Amino acid sequence: MSLEDELKARALALISQQMANWVVDIQRQIQEHQGNLVRALDELSESTARYDEKIDEASIAQAMAEALASAPPPAPAAGPGMDRLRASLGEIEKGTSLSEVLTYLVNEVSRYAERTAMFIVKGPSAIGWYAKGVEPADAVKQISVPLAADTVFRNVSHSRQSMRGHMGHTPGTAQAMARLGGQPQALLAVPLLLQRDKLAAILYCDSVQDEVPADDAALIEILVLFAAKSIDLLSVPKAAPAVARTTSGSTPERAQAIAAAPPARPAPPPPPAPHPVEDEGSGTVMFRPGQAPAPRPAPPPPPPPAAEAESGTVMFKAGSIPGIPARPAAPPPPPPPPRPAPPPPAAAPAIAPEDQKAHEDAKRFARLVVSEIKLYNEAKVTEGRRQRDLYERLKEDIERGRAMYQERVSPKVRETTSYFVDELVRILAGGDASALGPM
């Protein structure tokens, strides 16, 4: 090994030895610092605990009590109260069809907004249908707002959320609503969503104030949501056979019972004993005070009247009225020949108890489908009744509704009934089958 190599080897050995010593020394110092840090943390924790014991809770409680005593009383809650909300929900709940629910909704919202209008979403447009606070009331029916135009209706359609703001921020809306007149400043638009995401209509409200109050806007949104759920319930099949209607149960149960109930039948005469009377508006049950009145003694029988056999009008003889002298009675005319008895009406086919539910569901679904056709085609229905060509004008919608009905209703019910056509006559034609025209 050369001298140079030996020097290099010894230098490297010395450096390695020194570095090893340095590492040991550094590790020792780190351990000492770690121990010092742990001891410092323990001392700090003990000191903090001692400060907790020094807190004067009595002084703090006294200061809080003095602050509360000197504070002004809370302001009374602003906006509509629960009583008004409850009353409005009760009114909307009365609706038994799509158009009835929407009408009640507009009427109730008009209590909280200066002007209210319902726009039905049909295809690419929102079409005015019914309004309150607008003069003339039919002006809203002349408005059709494209959902693609830059208006609040487009924002609501895309976001499925309510929009509240100032008319100056949406010039397109101001131009679209110009036909309603007035100088509105604030506006509110609320979507009516069926089955959670189907945009069926948009409720529009405006005011001459700078803004629609937040409390009123929140209440209106609740009413629209409740109306949408009520409409959804109208198409829900009934879970059990119909029973006697009572006023007990939750709101959804009552709405479902109303929607599923068969057409009203004449009620039997009430018994003379006291009985509960249902208040249709509030859903409460009121009882007549006291017991049934005792039967009055029967009055003496009046003189027998001479009845007009043909017209059914009762003609009293002059001699039977006090103070009028009796005239000689004319000989009675010969009795008319007896009329032949009309043939008995054909009895409706009996429905087995196990099929009753299917028939009631079919009636309810037919009523809902035809009501929706009428709702979306008010102008065509009015003109079609006048021209007696409803089917020709609404053929596409009617056949689409018929296909939905046939898909939903079992063949056993469809082949033995005409519920869908019956609702076309009752709802679209107003009871006049000839107004449908050739089908």
Side-chain angles (χ1 to χ4, degrees), residues 172-216:
T173 305
Q175 182 179 358
M177 297 294 107
R179 188 182 293 270
L180 299 182
Q183 298 293 330
Q185 301 299 315
L187 62 86
L188 172 69
V190 184
L192 189 142
L193 303 174
L194 300 183
Q195 300 174 356
R196 297 188 178 181
D197 194 49
K198 178 185 176 183
L199 181 63
I202 298 175
L203 182 73
Y204 169 86
C205 307
D206 61 25
S207 169
V208 297
Q209 306 299 325
D210 289 338
E211 68 174 5
V212 176
D215 291 336
D216 289 349

Side-chain angles (χ1 to χ4, degrees), residues 40-402:
L41 290 175
D42 291 341
E43 293 175 358
L44 182 61
S45 299
E46 294 177 0
S47 178
T48 303
R50 288 194 296 270
Y51 279 116
D52 290 341
E53 297 173 357
K54 296 178 181 180
I55 294 177
D56 190 353
E57 297 180 356
S59 300
I60 296 176
Q62 182 179 358
M64 293 177 63
E66 292 175 355
L68 292 175
S70 61
M82 289 300 298
D83 291 341
R84 291 179 62 187
L85 175 60
R86 187 183 301 111
S88 295
L89 295 178
E91 289 298 316
I92 295 174
E93 191 179 15
K94 292 180 181 179
T96 58
S97 67
L98 180 62
S99 58
E100 284 186 4
V101 172
L102 295 183
T103 301
Y104 286 132
L105 172 62
V106 173
N107 292 342
E108 290 306 309
V109 171
S110 66
R111 299 175 182 269
Y112 314 102
E114 295 178 16
R115 300 197 306 182
T116 306
M118 180 64 70
F119 285 82
I120 303 300
V121 175
K122 184 176 182 181
S125 302
I127 302 172
W129 178 69
Y130 178 62
K132 294 284 286 186
V134 175
E135 294 295 339
D138 289 342
V140 71
K141 295 185 178 181
Q142 309 302 321
I143 299 178
S144 178
V145 184
L147 295 178
D150 187 11
T151 66
V152 70
F153 294 90
R154 184 185 68 178
N155 297 337
V156 171
S157 174
H158 288 175
S159 68
R160 298 297 202 268
Q161 299 291 330
S162 300
M163 295 291 173
R164 181 171 69 101
H166 196 276
M167 190 69 75
H169 299 158
T170 171
T173 305
Q175 182 179 358
M177 297 294 107
R179 188 182 293 270
L180 299 182
Q183 298 293 330
Q185 301 299 315
L187 62 86
L188 172 69
V190 184
L192 189 142
L193 303 174
L194 300 183
Q195 300 174 356
R196 297 188 178 181
D197 194 49
K198 178 185 176 183
L199 181 63
I202 298 175
L203 182 73
Y204 169 86
C205 307
D206 61 25
S207 169
V208 297
Q209 306 299 325
D210 289 338
E211 68 174 5
V212 176
D215 291 336
D216 289 349
L219 186 143
I220 291 172
E221 292 177 15
I222 292 174
L223 295 181
V224 173
L225 178 62
F226 180 80
K229 298 306 178 186
S230 298
I231 294 172
D232 286 341
L233 286 173
L234 294 178
S235 61
V236 175
K238 189 175 58 172
V243 295
R245 182 183 174 192
T246 66
T247 55
S248 61
S250 62
T251 292
E253 292 171 351
R254 294 184 60 201
Q256 183 174 348
I258 294 173
R265 298 179 179 177
H275 59 283
V277 179
E278 180 180 352
D279 184 349
E280 294 293 339
S282 62
T284 59
V285 177
M286 300 181 295
F287 291 87
R288 300 186 187 277
Q291 299 297 327
R296 299 180 180 178
E308 184 81 15
E310 295 296 328
S311 66
T313 305
V314 177
M315 307 295 292
F316 288 93
K317 295 182 179 179
S320 65
I321 303 177
I324 300 181
R327 297 181 180 178
R339 293 184 177 183
I351 300 176
E354 61 271 15
D355 297 335
Q356 184 69 32
K357 179 179 181 299
H359 282 264
E360 292 176 358
D361 290 345
K363 292 178 184 177
R364 183 174 58 257
F365 189 69
R367 182 169 63 249
L368 185 64
V369 170
V370 178
S371 296
E372 188 168 356
I373 294 174
K374 181 176 182 292
L375 176 69
Y376 285 92
N377 300 276
E378 289 282 354
K380 290 184 179 180
V381 170
T382 301
E383 187 64 21
R385 288 181 180 179
R386 184 162 47 247
Q387 300 295 335
R388 306 179 105 49
D389 59 353
L390 278 168
Y391 179 75
E392 185 64 27
R393 293 175 184 271
L394 301 171
K395 181 177 180 180
E396 182 178 352
D397 291 335
I398 290 176
E399 292 305 325
R400 186 185 302 113
R402 192 196 305 272

